[in-house]
């Protein structure tokens, strides 16, 4: 009887988590949206658990294609809750408030994450995300970016260029400086990872 109870509870939990995956997946940009805005791309998204603290996010605003890859604190259910919060905040900051500089976006996102998780200002909640945020201007072949703890790479003419990140999270951390906004002139054939 105990075995049957455990199996029943496990099925309920897995059914709930599987349904949560449908909700989380619905918040990720579609492959067709990415294809419309970034030619010759691929997405590798393989959650360790059914739901994930990792996510990717994209939007288009003022002729720029914004793309973020992020790793939220923790994984599984708790990480997926953080990813949902961070996706919502990114959408609000860029699409509703119209903040367009990548550094300003991460600064404002950090502020909102801290406010959401630490409303009274006296808890020491250090959850948040590591994130690379890129704004591609394909017409002018420029890439504006800001990055929190996550380096990324450009492959140009067979060489790998390591693009360094600011060493701080988008959330409460030891260091809370403003995120740096960088701009790179892209060349034909560049591949960004």
């Amino acid at each position: 009887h105990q075995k049957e109870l455990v199996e029943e509870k496990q099925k309920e939990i897995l059914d709930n988590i599987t349904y949560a995956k449908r909700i989380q997946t619905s918040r990720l940009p579609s492959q067709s949206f990415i294809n419309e805005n970034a030619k010759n791309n691929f997405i590798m998204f393989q959650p360790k658990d059914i739901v994930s603290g990792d996510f990717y996010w994209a939007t288009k605003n003022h002729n720029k294609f914004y793309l973020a890859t992020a790793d939220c604190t923790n994984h599984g259910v708790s990480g997926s809750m953080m990813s949902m919060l961070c996706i919502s905040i990114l959408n609000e900051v860029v699409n509703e408030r119209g903040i367009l500089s990548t550094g300003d976006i991460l600064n404002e996102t950090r502020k909102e994450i801290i406010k959401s998780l630490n409303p009274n200002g006296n808890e020491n909640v250090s959850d948040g995300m590591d994130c690379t945020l890129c704004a591609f201007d394909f017409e002018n072949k420029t890439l504006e970016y800001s990055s929190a703890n996550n380096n990324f790479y450009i492959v140009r003419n067979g060489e790998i260029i390591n693009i360094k990140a600011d060493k701080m999270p988008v959330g409460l951390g030891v260091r809370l400086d403003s995120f740096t906004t960088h701009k790179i002139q892209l060349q034909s054939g560049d591949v960004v990872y």
Side-chain angles (χ1 to χ4, degrees):
H1 180 69
Q2 286 178 334
K3 180 181 182 287
E4 289 172 359
L5 283 175
V6 168
E7 287 174 351
E8 182 182 327
K9 289 295 177 193
Q10 182 178 12
K11 183 182 178 332
E12 287 176 17
I13 291 167
L14 284 176
D15 287 349
N16 270 309
I17 294 172
T18 301
Y19 189 76
K21 177 185 179 179
R22 284 182 48 205
I23 295 168
Q24 184 180 36
T25 302
S26 75
R27 297 300 313 255
L28 300 175
S30 68
Q31 182 68 57
S32 61
F33 178 75
I34 304 264
N35 289 345
E36 286 170 21
N37 292 285
K39 308 298 181 235
N40 301 320
N41 70 77
F42 72 91
I43 298 169
M44 187 173 136
F45 181 67
Q46 296 178 321
K48 177 181 169 285
D49 298 309
I50 297 169
V51 289
S52 178
D54 298 339
F55 70 91
Y56 56 97
W57 171 88
T59 193
K60 189 160 187 179
N61 202 317
H62 284 77
N63 294 325
K64 288 185 181 176
F65 177 62
Y66 290 83
L67 181 65
T69 58
D71 177 2
C72 293
T73 308
N74 220 324
H75 53 85
V77 173
S78 57
S80 71
M81 292 177 75
M82 279 301 302
S83 74
M84 296 293 285
L85 173 67
C86 293
I87 289 168
S88 294
I89 291 172
L90 283 167
N91 281 325
E92 178 186 331
V93 167
V94 177
N95 297 324
E96 293 175 28
R97 295 189 203 170
I99 297 172
L100 302 177
S101 163
T102 57
D104 292 343
I105 293 166
L106 291 187
N107 290 329
E108 194 62 27
T109 300
R110 174 201 287 148
K111 223 185 301 180
E112 292 302 320
I113 289 170
I114 292 170
K115 189 166 66 175
S116 295
L117 298 176
N118 190 12
N120 299 323
N122 56 8
E123 302 94 12
N124 198 9
V125 179
S126 59
D127 294 315
M129 66 177 169
D130 295 340
C131 176
T132 296
L133 174 62
C134 296
F136 293 92
D137 180 341
F138 293 117
E139 193 173 302
N140 296 307
K141 290 187 177 178
T142 59
L143 166 61
E144 179 184 305
Y145 74 90
S146 298
S147 195
N149 283 328
N150 283 352
N151 294 353
F152 69 100
Y153 306 92
I154 297 176
V155 176
R156 178 178 289 160
N157 300 321
E159 290 184 36
I160 298 174
I161 303 166
N162 186 2
I163 309 296
K164 300 286 186 184
D166 289 329
K167 293 296 174 196
M168 57 187 169
V170 183
L172 197 59
V174 175
R175 187 172 157 219
L176 295 174
D177 300 334
S178 288
F179 286 98
T180 311
T181 300
H182 303 273
K183 198 169 193 176
I184 296 174
Q185 188 65 48
L186 294 173
Q187 297 178 11
S188 292
D190 282 356
V191 181
V192 179
Y193 293 95

